[in-house]
């Protein structure tokens, strides 16, 4: 400690002298500094070496130590010995002026972590008490002990994991049709870029997942809405949109669509596939809620009914497991699959080996099936608690069909309520909700809220709705 203080005194003494004297001036010798500060020769030499590293002094063996030359400061560079200045980042606005900002504001708000005292009726992930954390930890520990998990994997992903995703996609897919991705959002972004050129239209359900809208626009594409109701997208309007726009891609969530919770009706499935085939287009099937079914058995993916490769199937495990399990897969056949593989190589080479091995361990274990059964019962309880609370405290609000699965309910607000303003008042009251406006690719026809029942326990859900009702009663 004493030696450290002595060294600091030597450094500050020489630094002050170097700043006061002109370049080339001789500084006190090692002997003088030893006597002045009662320091050892080693301490003085270390102090001078540090100052030399800073560019303040130049040691010349046999001659002494001298003040270094001060170079003329360049833009953003501080000359040795000068006091620091505040950073000037204004140049960035000029450099980026002709590049539009990425449309991520709504996603940023959606992914924001609520404060500890807030009740989350928004968000896209399971509450911690619904996540299979013990099974995940065990799977990751087993995977980490495998030497091959740390090696280089095929760019399309671990073959047994791809085979699992292929079975989930339906009867026509095989392992070689699958590309493993680091989560559903990167998979979406890659797929949109791979199948569309900047400026081209992409048809989307209206409303639809705001992350898809953001990814479409970030790729320089145009999101074109196609109206949907409680039974999913309307096939006749889908066919009209293809004819009007010339689009070659339609993004769809046939099972428990986010945000509405709607499932594509059985009597619409064939008509939707026919409209896509007639347009010579791709249907990107975002099967995000396959493991989140509550009532009865889920219908098979649309990909299972598509023999000719029009449907590109996307499946993520993040929503049904935990936010940190960033593993998803895109299944596409033919040239489309090759193009997706090439696009994924450009984006990130391949997904982490330990994470892929852990995912395979998880979905192959009895613990995964137990988790699915437990999760179904828990989601049913929370969905029913949220719906009941809305009916009790907000009877004028209309739920657009109680969903048979997923994580959310879609609520139509009375005409005199603005969804964005209400969201702000609700946040001030300690409850986080998602306004309906960002979920539309164009102007919304009415005000809505998306309420999530998976992010809080049943008692918290009821309290959250009570706080929301109090915020709704306040008029600006």
């Amino acid at each position: 400690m004493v030696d450290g203080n002595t060294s600091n005194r030597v450094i500050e003494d020489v630094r002050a002298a170097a700043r006061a004297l002109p370049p080339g001036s001789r500084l006190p010798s090692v002997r003088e500094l030893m006597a002045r500060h009662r320091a050892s020769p080693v301490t003085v030499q270390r102090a001078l070496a540090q100052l030399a590293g800073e560019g303040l002094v130049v040691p010349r063996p046999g001659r002494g130590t001298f003040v270094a030359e001060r170079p003329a400061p360049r833009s953003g560079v501080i000359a040795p010995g000068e006091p620091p200045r505040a950073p000037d980042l204004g140049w960035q606005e000029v450099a980026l002026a002709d590049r539009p900002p990425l449309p991520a504001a709504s996603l940023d708000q959606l992914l924001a972590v609520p404060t500890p005292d807030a009740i989350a009726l928004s968000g896209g992930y399971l509450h911690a008490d619904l996540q299979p954390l013990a099974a995940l930890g065990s799977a990751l520990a087993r995977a980490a002990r495998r030497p091959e998990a740390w090696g280089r994997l095929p760019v399309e992903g671990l073959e047994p994991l791809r085979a699992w995703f292929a079975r989930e996609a339906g009867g026509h897919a095989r392992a070689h049709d699958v590309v493993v991705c680091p989560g559903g959002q990167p998979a979406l972004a890659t797929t949109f870029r791979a199948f569309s050129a900047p400026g081209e239209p992409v048809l989307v359900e209206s409303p639809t997942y705001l992350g898809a809208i953001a990814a479409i626009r970030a790729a320089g594409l145009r999101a074109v809405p196609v109206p949907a109701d409680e039974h999913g997208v309307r096939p006749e309007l889908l066919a009209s949109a293809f004819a009007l726009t010339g689009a070659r891609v339609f993004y769809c969530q046939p099972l428990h669509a986010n945000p509405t919770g709607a499932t594509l009706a059985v009597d619409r499935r064939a008509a939707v596939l026919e409209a896509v085939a007639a347009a010579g287009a791709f249907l990107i099937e975002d099967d995000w809620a396959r493991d989140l079914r509550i009532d009865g058995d889920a219908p098979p993916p649309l990909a299972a009914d598509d023999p000719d490769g029009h449907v590109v199937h996307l499946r993520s495990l993040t929503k049904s497991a935990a936010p940190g399990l960033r593993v998803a897969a895109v299944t596409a056949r033919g040239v489309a699959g090759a193009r997706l593989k090439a696009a994924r190589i450009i984006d990130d080479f391949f997904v982490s080996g330990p994470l892929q091995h852990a995912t395979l361990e998880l979905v192959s274990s009895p613990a995964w099936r137990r988790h699915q059964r437990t999760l179904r019962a828990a989601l049913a309880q929370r969905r029913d608690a949220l719906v009941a609370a809305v009916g009790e405290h907000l009877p004028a609000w209309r739920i657009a069909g109680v969903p048979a699965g997923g994580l959310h309910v879609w609520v139509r607000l009375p005409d005199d309520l603005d969804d964005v303003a209400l969201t702000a008042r609700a946040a001030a009251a300690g409850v986080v909700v998602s306004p309906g406006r960002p979920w539309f690719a164009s102007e919304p026809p009415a005000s809505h809220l998306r309420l999530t029942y998976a992010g809080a326990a049943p008692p918290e859900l009821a309290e959250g709705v009570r706080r929301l009702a109090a915020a709704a009663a306040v008029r600006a």
Side-chain angles (χ1 to χ4, degrees), residues 372-383:
Q372 289 176 307
R373 291 192 296 270
T374 302
L375 181 60
R376 172 181 282 220
L379 289 178
Q381 180 188 22
R382 297 178 192 216
R383 177 200 61 185

Side-chain angles (χ1 to χ4, degrees), residues 166-226:
R167 290 192 296 272
E168 292 288 300
H172 300 285
R174 299 294 181 266
H176 64 263
D177 301 317
V178 178
V179 177
V180 178
C181 304
Q185 189 67 25
L188 272 181
T190 298
T191 304
F192 289 137
R193 292 198 314 275
F195 293 160
S196 301
E200 290 184 348
V202 175
L203 304 185
V204 300
E205 297 169 292
S206 183
T208 192
Y209 170 49
L210 64 83
I213 297 174
I216 290 168
R217 291 174 176 167
L221 307 171
R222 295 185 291 115
V224 178
V226 181

Side-chain angles (χ1 to χ4, degrees), residues 214 218 222 229 254 414 428 466:
R222 295 185 291 115
D229 56 25
R466 282 192 288 270

Side-chain angles (χ1 to χ4, degrees), residues 168 255 285 287-293 298-302 315:
E168 292 288 300
L255 183 64
E285 180 179 15
D287 203 10
W288 73 281
R290 178 63 46 184
D291 298 313
L292 303 174
R293 184 72 172 184
L302 287 176
R315 174 76 183 277

Side-chain angles (χ1 to χ4, degrees), residues 312-325:
V312 176
H313 183 262
L314 191 156
R315 174 76 183 277
S316 171
L317 292 170
T318 305
K319 303 295 187 184
S320 55
L325 190 67

Side-chain angles (χ1 to χ4, degrees), residues 156-173:
E156 60 269 27
L158 192 64
E159 197 279 336
L161 183 59
R162 288 186 285 125
W164 183 88
F165 276 115
R167 290 192 296 272
E168 292 288 300
H172 300 285

Side-chain angles (χ1 to χ4, degrees), residues 44-259:
V44 173
Q45 293 288 0
R46 286 176 178 171
L48 294 175
Q50 178 175 328
L51 293 169
E54 296 176 10
L56 276 176
V57 304
V58 178
R60 294 173 182 167
R63 297 179 56 193
T65 305
F66 299 83
V67 179
E69 294 291 332
R70 298 187 181 97
R74 294 169 293 170
S75 175
V77 179
I78 299 172
E82 290 188 1
R85 61 169 179 79
D88 180 7
L89 305 180
W91 66 271
Q92 295 184 0
E93 295 184 43
V94 177
L96 298 174
D98 61 344
R99 295 164 177 80
L102 294 176
S106 297
L107 270 180
D108 188 49
Q109 295 170 9
L110 189 66
L111 294 172
V113 178
T115 59
D117 58 339
I119 295 175
L121 298 186
S122 181
Y125 303 108
L126 299 176
H127 190 271
D129 65 7
L130 298 178
Q131 298 169 18
L133 298 180
L136 272 170
S138 297
L140 190 57
R142 290 193 296 271
R145 289 194 294 268
R146 296 178 178 173
E148 65 271 22
W150 298 95
R152 189 175 65 181
L153 297 181
V155 294
E156 60 269 27
L158 192 64
E159 197 279 336
L161 183 59
R162 288 186 285 125
W164 183 88
F165 276 115
R167 290 192 296 272
E168 292 288 300
H172 300 285
R174 299 294 181 266
H176 64 263
D177 301 317
V178 178
V179 177
V180 178
C181 304
Q185 189 67 25
L188 272 181
T190 298
T191 304
F192 289 137
R193 292 198 314 275
F195 293 160
S196 301
E200 290 184 348
V202 175
L203 304 185
V204 300
E205 297 169 292
S206 183
T208 192
Y209 170 49
L210 64 83
I213 297 174
I216 290 168
R217 291 174 176 167
L221 307 171
R222 295 185 291 115
V224 178
V226 181
D229 56 25
E230 64 270 23
H231 303 296
V233 70
R234 296 173 56 183
E236 75 282 4
L237 296 180
L238 176 63
S240 297
F242 274 125
L244 181 65
T245 65
R248 291 295 178 265
V249 174
F250 169 47
Y251 169 76
C252 181
Q253 292 183 327
L255 183 64
H256 312 316
N258 182 11

